[in-house]
Amino acid sequence: MISKNILDFLNALEKNNDRVWFQDHKTEFRTVEAEMKAVYNELFTLLKTHDEVDTVKVFRIYRDVRFSKNKVPYKTHFGGTIHRVKPQLRGGYYLHIQPNNQSFIATGFWDPNKEDLLRIRKEFEVDAHEMREILADTKFKSTWGDIEGEELKTAPKGFDKSHPDIDLIRKKQFIFTKKYTDKEVLAPNFLEEVNNSFKVIRPYFNYMSDVLTTNINGESLI
């Protein structure tokens, strides 16, 4: 489970986000960092019971401020991703821990490359019925809500703006998020709840993996 020490440290860091304070509390940071890495590894183990995942990446606390106007040196959250086995499986899982009820999980396709984006749009252009069924499923919708992500204001080049599925076609991202309170994050069963929510995403991943590993005629690309 996630300890209160993690949220307390992140709260303190937000109030004292400078290098001097951080260096003075480096030992404390190393302790909570190790705890969070154990959390991500435990989630990886849980995911492996029902999915094929191959890597865990825990993002560094240090911000890249080289090209940013915001020169605050440290993130005030922990974030990490777990990827599915490519090329046959697509998608991944993200866990974000941040105090003051700002924690969340996310999944889906955050930044598909232009080839994948075009393939997804072409699939929706031909037939979005299966995608609609997934999004309308009662359990899926109660767990994840509506699909999110940036989208164009009008139709992409080469697509009819009056197409009945233009709301899906104009999307540039295809993601789902679920928020958690601090109380939920600190609960003993938090990781089990996260894992169960990730299980519910499987029909969506199955569909998108099938789309992205075949051409428009359904022929395998791998």
Side-chain angles (χ1 to χ4, degrees):
M1 61 182 291
I2 294 177
S3 74
K4 189 172 181 294
N5 291 338
I6 294 171
L7 300 186
D8 287 345
F9 177 83
L10 292 172
N11 263 323
L13 177 58
E14 185 173 15
K15 296 173 183 176
N16 304 275
N17 203 326
D18 63 71
R19 290 180 175 82
V20 173
W21 184 92
F22 191 83
Q23 288 301 318
D24 288 343
H25 294 81
K26 196 68 170 286
T27 300
E28 185 180 353
F29 165 70
R30 292 302 182 197
T31 299
V32 298
E33 181 187 44
E35 288 182 27
M36 277 307 307
K37 287 182 176 180
V39 167
Y40 286 106
N41 286 328
E42 176 61 21
L43 180 57
F44 179 79
T45 299
L46 291 172
L47 288 169
K48 284 185 70 175
T49 64
H50 59 87
D51 198 0
E52 295 180 60
V53 289
D54 61 359
T55 58
V56 182
K57 180 178 181 180
V58 181
F59 298 113
R60 300 172 76 238
I61 198 81
Y62 308 96
R63 295 184 63 252
D64 185 352
V65 299
R66 291 174 298 173
F67 308 106
S68 174
K69 292 182 180 179
N70 181 0
K71 298 303 180 180
V72 172
Y74 306 106
K75 301 171 187 174
T76 55
H77 66 268
F78 283 105
T81 58
I82 298 175
H83 292 287
R84 306 178 82 217
V85 175
K86 288 186 177 181
Q88 67 271 28
L89 302 179
R90 298 299 182 89
Y93 307 96
Y94 176 76
L95 171 62
H96 180 105
I97 299 299
Q98 186 170 359
N100 303 311
N101 306 316
Q102 298 183 78
S103 297
F104 64 90
I105 57 175
T107 187
F109 300 83
W110 180 262
D111 187 27
N113 61 47
K114 63 179 182 179
E115 292 82 9
D116 284 352
L117 182 57
L118 178 61
R119 175 67 184 90
I120 293 168
R121 285 172 169 168
K122 285 292 186 182
E123 185 69 22
F124 293 156
E125 182 182 45
V126 172
D127 183 8
H129 177 73
E130 187 174 352
M131 181 65 164
R132 296 288 188 191
E133 284 192 336
I134 292 169
L135 297 179
D137 178 80
T138 302
K139 185 175 182 180
F140 189 95
K141 198 170 186 66
S142 66
T143 302
W144 289 102
D146 296 322
I147 192 168
E148 303 174 23
E150 294 181 3
E151 57 185 48
L152 300 173
K153 293 182 178 179
T154 186
K157 184 178 180 180
F159 291 86
D160 183 359
K161 65 180 180 181
S162 64
H163 192 285
D165 296 301
I166 195 62
D167 59 316
L168 293 174
I169 293 170
R170 69 179 181 224
K171 287 191 176 297
K172 298 191 291 183
Q173 299 173 318
F174 308 87
I175 56 177
F176 296 89
T177 61
K178 184 176 182 181
K179 298 178 181 179
Y180 292 94
T181 65
D182 291 354
K183 182 178 178 180
E184 290 170 327
V185 167
L186 297 176
N189 65 338
F190 174 64
L191 284 185
E192 286 81 0
E193 202 289 324
V194 168
N195 183 52
N196 288 334
S197 293
F198 282 144
K199 283 182 182 179
V200 178
I201 207 70
R202 179 60 65 79
Y204 171 68
F205 273 172
N206 289 347
Y207 170 78
M208 293 292 267
S209 293
D210 183 60
V211 168
L212 293 173
T213 58
T214 60
N215 62 24
I216 200 66
N217 297 316
E219 300 166 327
S220 177
L221 299 175
I222 58 175

